[in-house]
Amino acid sequence: MTKNKITIEPITRLEGHGRIEIFLDEEGDVSRAFFQVPEFRGFEKFAEGRPAEEMPVITSKICGVCPTAHHMASGKAVDGIFHVEPPPPAKKIRELMYSAFLVEDHALHFFFLGGPDFIVGSDAPAAERNILGVIKKVGMEIGKEVINIRKQCRHIISTLGGKVIHPVSNLPGGVSRGVSREEQKEFIETGKASVRFAEFSLKIFDDIVLKNGKHLDLVSGDTYRHETYYMGMVDEKNRVNFYDGNIRVIDPNGKETARFAPVDYLGHIAEHVEPWSYMKFAYLKNVGWHGFKDGPQSGVYRVGPLARLNVAEGMATPKAESEYERMFEMLGGKPVHNTLAYHWARLIELQYAAERLLELARDDEILDPNIRSMPTATPSEGVGVVEAPRGTLIHHYLADEKGLIKKVNLIVATTNNAAAICMSVESAAKKLINKGKVSDGILNMVEMAFRAYDPCLACATHSVPGRMPLMIRICNHMNETVQVIKRD
Amino acid sequence: MKTLILGLGNPIRGDDAIGWVAAEKVYERVKAPGLFLDLASVGGLYLLDLLVGYDRALIVDAAETGEHKTGTLFRVEIRKGDTKSSYCTMHQIDIFQALDLGMKLKLDMPEIINFYGIEVENCQCYSEELSLSVKTAIPHIVNQICAEEFG
C-alpha cells in the first residue's frame, strides 16, 4: 500500500501545539511538507473598546512563554498612541528588565529545547534528548546553574515588572516603579552571573558541537540551508538591539534592501494566506509573494537570532562582538543561511543580553526617579516593535480620541518565520525520508529544523498531567491510516 | 508546613480561567497560617519554579480530557517516586516531569502534590467569561476541594 501522508503531532519541544504534515508521492518520497497551527483567533475583537493603557497587561497574557516581549511591544505601542516618549531612566529600566528576560529565555532554549539535539546527540533515543540527558553528559551542576540563573533573572523581571510571570509595569510614557540602590546591587550581581553563564554556555557549544565533526556538519551543512532575506532591529550603528531602533532588511547576498522606522512596517511587510493553515505567512512587500521559495526573487524572509546577526554589522558589547566575529569567520562570512546556526546565534545573543544587563544594572541613571512622562495629547495610533527571543514582534493599535482601542494588528515572530519554517521542514524531510522509510532519528531531524526557529504557536499554557505522546500517522491517498508510530 | 494552592490557567481564554477562580475561592475559604495562593498562566519548567520551597501543593487547572461531563472535578495525586525518568517534551513538560527534574536537581520540592482538574467546555477563544456549565459547578468544586484537602 502506498504511504503518502505522514503526520507528526505534537512536535516535541515546541511551545503550543503544532503539527507537521508530510505528503509522500507514489514512490514514498516526500512531495510537500507543511507545518500547521491551530491558532487561537479573535484577539483583535477581544481588545476592541478597551482602554489603550490596559493593552500591555492584557497582551502579556497572550503567551505563557513570552509575556515580557508582548508587554514591551505593547508598552511602546501605547507610548505611540498617547504621543509620549518615556524619559531615559524609564527606557533603561524597561531594557534592563527585557535583557533579563532574554537571558532567561535564550538559556532555557539552549539547555532545554534545542541544545539536547547537539549535546546528547540527534540520533540518541528520544527519552534521552532532554535536559536530563544534558545533565548526564555535562554534569549535574549545569542543571542547577540553569535553574539558578533563571531564578535570578526572574527576580529582576518580577521586581521591575510587578509580577513574576506577566509584567504590569509599563505605562504610557514610562514605568510604574523605579530602582532602589539595594536592588541595583542585586541586579549587578545577577548581571555578572549572567555574563559568566553565557561564557560557560558558549564554551559548552564550542566543546561539544563545534569540535564534533558530525554536529558541525549539521550546523554548517546544506540540509537546513535557505538563501532568504533577513530582518531585525538595529541601533544607529547597525548593531543588534532587542528593545529599540530601526528595522533593517538584507537580501540573500547580504546587501541592505530596507532600513525603516517601526511605525512604517506596513510599507514593507505583507501577509499571505494559504487555505490549509490558519497561520498567515509574512513576506516582503517590495519583492512580493512567490511561494515557499528561496532566493532574491522570493519575498520570504527570516527573523530571530541568526537573522538579527545577519542584518547587523556587529554587537554592542565586547564579548558578544568577539563571538559574533568568530561565528561568521567559521561559517564562511555573512550572511549565514544554515538554519541550525540559529542555535549558535542564540548563544551569542545570550552573551549580548547578559553583558547589556550588567551594563544597564551598573548605570546609575536607573536610580533617577524621573521614570514617567505624563501623556497630555489626544490619543490616536501607535506601533511598538521589539525583538522577541524568537524574532521581530510588532504591536499596532488604533484608538479613538478617548483612548479606546478601535483596531489591533499583531505580527508575532513565528508569523515572520512561518514560510521559512515550512521550507526548512520540507527540505529536511526531502533529504531524510526516502521511499517511505521513517525512523525516530529521521523524524527528529525534521523536528530539529523546526526547533531551530523556536516557534511559539498557540501558546497553550498548560495541559492535564500526563505527557502528550509524539504520534506519527501515515495515511494512504484515501486518507486512511496505514501506520501509527507513537513516541511516549 | 507550607502549603501552596496554585491556580493555573489563562484568565482571558474563557473556561481556562476556572483554575484561578476555584483556587482563589478555596484559599479565601480556608485562609490558614502556612497557606499560600499563587495564580499563574504557565506550564513546563515555569511550573517547577512555582513549586519549589513548599511542603505540599494543590494545583487547580482546567482540563480538556473529553472523558468527563463539563464542570466535573477530578483528582490526581502525585508523589515522589511516582515520577517518570524520561520525557521528550520541554515547554510542555508536565507536572510529573517537572517534579522529576526538580528531584534530580535536588531542589526543595513538595512531598505531596495533588492535582485537581476541572473538565471545561471552551478554552479556545479570547473571553473573560466562563461558560454557564463551568460557572454553575464552582460552588460544588470549591466544596469538594475543601473537603478533600482541609476536612
Side-chain angles (χ1 to χ4, degrees):
Chain A
M1 192 177 287
T2 305
K3 298 170 183 177
N4 59 3
K5 181 182 174 190
I6 298 172
T7 303
I8 307 171
E9 63 177 341
I11 299 152
T12 57
R13 277 171 276 161
L14 182 68
E15 293 155 7
H17 295 194
R19 191 167 73 179
I20 293 178
E21 299 262 11
I22 302 168
F23 296 89
L24 306 184
D25 60 20
E26 290 298 311
E27 304 299 316
D29 293 325
V30 176
S31 91
R32 291 302 305 267
F34 304 103
F35 90 98
Q36 299 201 24
V37 187
E39 198 177 60
F40 289 93
R41 293 188 294 177
F43 183 76
E44 287 78 4
K45 201 78 193 159
F46 178 78
E48 274 176 28
R50 291 175 185 272
E53 61 270 27
E54 285 185 6
M55 293 302 283
V57 176
I58 293 170
T59 54
S60 79
K61 293 191 177 73
I62 289 175
C63 172
V65 178
C66 318
T68 313
H70 282 289
H71 186 64
M72 283 298 157
S74 185
K76 291 176 74 180
V78 170
D79 292 340
I81 280 184
F82 290 97
H83 309 282
V84 64
E85 186 75 10
K91 281 188 176 181
K92 284 182 179 174
I93 290 170
R94 283 185 184 179
E95 193 182 348
L96 172 61
M97 180 166 86
Y98 200 51
S99 299
F101 168 64
L102 260 297
V103 169
E104 180 215 16
D105 198 282
H106 275 7
L108 179 75
H109 183 280
F110 181 68
F111 288 100
F112 287 76
L113 286 164
D117 287 329
F118 293 103
I119 296 173
V120 183
S122 60
D123 49 3
E128 291 173 20
R129 283 195 314 270
N130 51 48
I131 183 62
L132 298 181
V134 170
I135 288 169
K136 200 172 163 190
K137 187 128 182 188
V138 187
M140 176 67 83
E141 284 312 304
I142 186 61
K144 287 184 176 172
E145 193 55 33
V146 177
I147 298 285
N148 189 39
I149 205 72
R150 286 195 62 240
K151 192 177 172 186
Q152 290 184 58
C153 286
R154 293 212 75 75
H155 177 66
I156 292 182
I157 297 167
S158 58
T159 302
L160 296 178
K163 282 189 175 180
V164 69
I165 309 289
H166 302 285
V168 294
S169 57
N170 282 350
L171 302 172
V175 291
S176 59
R177 80 185 296 287
V179 177
S180 72
R181 181 71 74 180
E182 280 309 302
E183 287 166 347
Q184 183 190 29
K185 283 181 193 164
E186 281 180 18
F187 297 169
I188 289 172
E189 290 311 309
T190 299
K192 287 178 186 170
S194 299
V195 171
R196 287 195 298 272
F197 180 81
E199 287 177 295
F200 173 69
S201 302
L202 278 158
K203 186 169 185 321
I204 287 179
F205 191 79
D206 194 50
D207 290 343
I208 296 178
V209 180
L210 302 182
K211 289 177 183 163
N212 177 318
K214 190 179 160 193
H215 289 156
L216 185 59
D217 285 348
L218 265 181
V219 173
S220 60
D222 64 356
T223 300
Y224 304 96
R225 182 185 163 87
H226 298 291
E227 297 194 359
T228 62
Y229 285 79
Y230 297 94
M231 188 171 89
M233 190 144 65
V234 291
D235 66 14
E236 68 286 353
K237 292 180 180 169
N238 283 339
R239 300 172 305 189
V240 169
N241 196 298
F242 299 130
Y243 176 74
D244 216 355
N246 282 326
I247 310 295
R248 190 173 196 228
V249 180
I250 60 161
D251 71 12
N253 297 313
K255 188 185 164 204
E256 179 182 299
T257 57
R259 196 178 196 285
F260 57 91
V263 71
D264 297 325
Y265 81 98
L266 282 174
H268 299 269
I269 299 168
E271 292 174 293
H272 169 79
V273 177
E274 287 280 335
W276 46 267
S277 177
Y278 290 123
M279 176 156 266
K280 292 172 181 169
F281 298 90
Y283 64 94
L284 296 170
K285 232 174 184 174
N286 64 335
V287 187
W289 175 260
H290 301 288
F292 298 89
K293 291 176 184 167
D294 296 44
Q297 309 307 320
S298 167
V300 171
Y301 64 92
R302 293 195 273 183
V303 299
L306 181 63
R308 287 190 284 252
L309 266 55
N310 274 335
V311 302
E313 288 174 0
M315 308 298 284
T317 57
K319 291 179 196 296
E321 169 65 14
S322 160
E323 294 292 338
Y324 167 95
E325 296 290 346
R326 184 163 173 258
M327 183 184 97
F328 286 113
E329 195 183 313
M330 275 191 78
L331 296 180
K334 290 173 66 182
V336 166
H337 296 297
N338 311 82
T339 303
L340 292 192
Y342 265 82
H343 295 290
W344 192 353
R346 193 171 281 115
L347 286 179
I348 295 167
E349 287 196 335
L350 167 65
Q351 183 75 73
Y352 166 66
E355 288 181 282
R356 184 66 181 143
L357 167 59
L358 181 57
E359 231 172 52
L360 289 162
R362 282 176 168 156
D363 188 337
D364 281 347
E365 199 174 11
I366 62 171
L367 303 171
D368 189 329
N370 178 27
I371 53 173
R372 192 163 181 216
S373 309
M374 292 308 288
T376 54
T378 305
S380 58
E381 189 172 2
V383 175
V385 178
V386 294
E387 284 296 331
R390 291 141 193 87
T392 314
L393 171 65
I394 302 168
H395 281 224
H396 182 184
Y397 312 145
L398 191 65
D400 65 15
E401 71 285 354
K402 291 178 185 163
L404 301 178
I405 294 294
K406 282 165 63 184
K407 202 175 172 192
V408 170
N409 186 34
L410 305 182
I411 299 181
V412 300
T414 301
T415 305
N416 287 308
N417 273 333
I421 293 172
C422 284
M423 287 157 54
S424 288
V425 169
E426 183 173 314
S427 166
K430 278 184 172 168
K431 288 181 182 168
L432 298 164
I433 297 176
N434 296 302
K435 308 296 175 202
K437 188 184 170 195
V438 180
S439 75
D440 183 66
I442 287 175
L443 289 172
N444 186 55
M445 295 286 276
V446 173
E447 290 179 308
M448 276 174 76
F450 210 117
R451 281 198 291 270
Y453 299 99
D454 191 16
C456 184
L457 304 178
C459 294
T461 55
H462 65 275
S463 60
V464 182
R467 81 193 75 173
M468 291 204 186
L470 171 67
M471 192 173 79
I472 302 140
R473 197 169 62 237
I474 303 173
C475 302
N476 64 17
H477 66 287
M478 301 292 286
N479 210 24
E480 296 162 340
T481 301
V482 293
Q483 190 183 349
V484 172
I485 306 168
K486 209 171 178 180
R487 182 194 289 161
D488 286 318
Chain B
M1 175 182 267
K2 277 178 76 182
T3 299
L4 172 69
I5 300 179
L6 175 60
L8 289 180
N10 191 331
I12 62 169
R13 283 233 178 113
D15 285 347
D16 202 6
I18 185 60
W20 284 37
V21 174
E24 218 162 8
K25 286 188 183 296
V26 169
Y27 176 76
E28 287 301 322
R29 186 180 294 181
V30 179
K31 256 193 184 167
L35 186 64
F36 298 85
L37 173 72
D38 206 346
L39 305 172
S41 304
V42 296
L45 189 68
Y46 294 91
L47 195 57
L48 182 62
D49 296 339
L50 303 175
L51 294 173
V52 168
Y54 290 96
D55 305 299
R56 174 186 173 209
L58 322 176
I59 300 172
V60 191
D61 196 359
E64 289 178 296
T65 67
E67 294 168 9
H68 307 282
K69 199 178 145 195
T70 305
T72 303
L73 178 80
F74 59 93
R75 190 171 93 152
V76 180
E77 292 180 17
I78 304 168
R79 297 282 182 273
K80 286 183 181 176
D82 286 351
T83 57
K84 299 168 184 179
S85 61
S86 64
Y87 56 87
C88 61
T89 58
M90 289 292 156
H91 276 62
Q92 292 175 329
I93 183 172
D94 64 29
I95 293 165
F96 290 102
Q97 297 156 352
L99 186 60
D100 185 37
L101 180 59
M103 285 170 61
K104 285 199 164 61
L105 295 175
K106 300 192 187 334
L107 301 178
D108 184 15
M109 299 296 293
E111 283 289 334
I112 302 166
I113 299 177
N114 288 336
F115 175 90
Y116 288 91
I118 300 161
E119 191 74 31
V120 294
E121 196 174 304
N122 186 10
C123 292
Q124 313 296 318
C125 63
Y126 285 100
S127 165
E128 288 172 303
E129 289 289 317
L130 295 171
S131 63
L132 186 62
S133 49
V134 170
K135 206 186 284 181
T136 310
I138 292 172
H140 175 66
I141 289 165
V142 173
N143 286 343
Q144 215 175 321
I145 296 175
C146 287
E148 293 256 3
E149 297 292 335
F150 304 101

